Amino acid sequence: MSVQIDPRGELRHFLTTEGLDPRLLGRILDTAESFAGVLGKSVKTVPLLRGRTVVNLFFESSTRTRTTFELAAKRLSADVLNIAVDTTTTKGESLLDMLRNLQAMQADMFVVRHPQSGAAEYFARHVDPGVAVLNAGDGWHAHPTQAMLDAFTIRRHKGAFEPLRIAIVGDIRHSRVARSQIHAFNALGAGEVRVIAPDTLLPADIDTLGARVYNDLNAGLRDADVVIALRLQRERMQGALLPGESEYFRHYGLTESRLRGAHPEAIVMHPGPINRGVEIDSALADGPRSVILDQVTNGIAVRMAVMTMVLGVQPDTAREAS
Ligand code: CP
């Protein structure tokens, strides 16, 4: 049994989309849908996590993930502590000691972003019973709430996953988002998940992930219903994996004209932050096909869903609240 699932098969932590029961993934989306209804009202808060304390523990920078986790917790009436950990000011304290001290303040949930793969699971294995850990991105490994907010956005725009061809373009090798997306989209029944990248930006285990691989952008985009651009993660690259950004844009940059080979109603997504003119053209990022800002908005409802589920607040309760 995985550390993120309790003996009843319920979500105890949320660390990865890999191997998760499709019914659990579907429940996250359905619960998020009920919270999206709450967020559309003039009073956007519900008392489901009143009296609970959520600690945002970010060892890496974040704009979207940290703030939408914070907003999600506040919409659920939880108390929120934001801790941006600057490794130069931690005074040598171990991760475990930091965790124990924060737990001593009766934290109920840790939202963890860390540059090391496996860091969120390490936290999950060391927290007290009843305390939940949510992975907000660990190294190259996983970013499960990003994948679920992407799935939620796709379902809202396209309906059922079964007929969809979903193309993920760019730096797959260093992308925790791509890994979590591939696992989630396949589990949710997507017709085909494609990755499009030069060989230097594909991970060594790409053949085991469940995606069809394309080196050629035009071939990979053909008839795609959903096109997801990924950022070039220069900060994680070791050595020269690319000739240069303009050369990369010429071969793999998404533009309106490149999208002509995709389905005429294809949507364009990007988890952010965007490098305009590197992986995506501004006209496309800001154009009518783009649902990039919807992704950000949907992150709040999806994170509310996951926060309630790991603390055992029933989806029915959430529906009643809406
Ligand atoms: N998509 C994403 O993880 O963005 P942030 O780094 O801003 O959180």
Side-chain angles (χ1 to χ4, degrees), residues 61-66 113 143 146 271-273:
S61 66
S62 167
T63 301
R64 285 144 289 270
T65 310
R66 196 196 62 71
R113 170 168 288 192
H143 194 348
Q146 177 70 47

Side-chain angles (χ1 to χ4, degrees), residues 199-261:
D199 282 335
T200 50
L201 293 184
L202 290 169
D205 63 347
I206 187 62
D207 292 337
T208 68
L209 292 181
R212 190 164 170 188
V213 178
Y214 292 83
N215 292 132
D216 181 74
L217 180 61
N218 292 330
L221 290 181
R222 199 160 296 135
D223 299 324
D225 303 283
V226 176
V227 179
I228 304 172
L230 296 178
R231 182 175 70 87
L232 279 184
Q233 304 205 22
R234 288 274 186 205
E235 73 278 17
R236 298 191 206 280
M237 290 185 193
Q238 288 169 346
L241 298 178
L242 293 168
E245 288 180 350
S246 55
E247 177 83 355
Y248 177 81
F249 186 69
R250 208 163 35 250
H251 291 285
Y252 291 98
L254 291 180
T255 62
E256 290 280 7
S257 66
R258 278 258 161 78
L259 258 284
R260 283 198 198 112

